[in-house]
Structure formats: C-alpha cells, structure tokens
Amino acid sequence: MDKKNALRAGALASGTTLMMLLMSSPALALTRDDGDDPGSGLSVIDTLGLFVVAPLVIFAVIAGLVILGDKSRKRPEQG
C-alpha cells in the first residue's frame, strides 16, 4: 500500500511541476507591453552589490545588534 501512495504522490508532483513549467513560459517575457519603459541594465558589479553584498551587510548588522543586545544584559551568576 505504501508503494501505491508513493507512486501516486510522485505522479502528482511531477504533473504539477510540468504544468507550472508549461504555464510560465519565459518566451512571454520577450513580448513588450504598451507603456513598457525598461531602464538601463545593471552591470555585474551593480548586480553583485545589490543581490550579494547588500544582504550580507544587512545580515551582519542585524546579527551584530542581536549580539550586542544579548551581551548588554547582566546574567546572574550560577553556581
């Protein structure tokens, strides 16, 4: 019985994935819409800065604030 359920789940997952791929055709992205006014493209440096460096810096700032906030509280001595 488990094998039948696994086969059914696999068929459902693969069918759903196939339908999603067929419905979201990337070729439609090449068609320009009325009023479409794209800006200039990003350079490699701009892309890396925006999608790699900026999130890492934001993560580091948040982590640093959490660590500073945690250390500022005085913990009672155990013993």
Side-chain angles (χ1 to χ4, degrees), residues 3 5 11 13-14 16 18 20 24 30 37 44 47 52 56 60 62 71-73 75:
K3 192 173 188 181
N5 286 340
S14 62
T16 303
L18 180 63
M20 288 176 69
S24 63
L30 297 176
D37 189 21
V44 175
T47 304
V52 176
L56 287 174
I62 293 172
K71 289 190 177 195
S72 66
R73 283 190 246 143
R75 295 185 180 173

Side-chain angles (χ1 to χ4, degrees), residues 41-53:
L42 296 174
S43 70
V44 175
I45 299 297
D46 291 339
T47 304
L48 288 175
L50 186 62
F51 294 107
V52 176
V53 175

Side-chain angles (χ1 to χ4, degrees), residues 14 19 25-26 33 57 68:
S14 62
M19 287 304 294
S25 175
D33 291 330
V57 168
L68 286 175

Side-chain angles (χ1 to χ4, degrees), residues 17-38:
T17 303
L18 180 63
M19 287 304 294
M20 288 176 69
L21 286 173
L22 290 174
M23 297 301 282
S24 63
S25 175
L28 296 174
L30 297 176
T31 306
R32 299 286 301 269
D33 291 330
D34 291 338
D36 194 13
D37 189 21

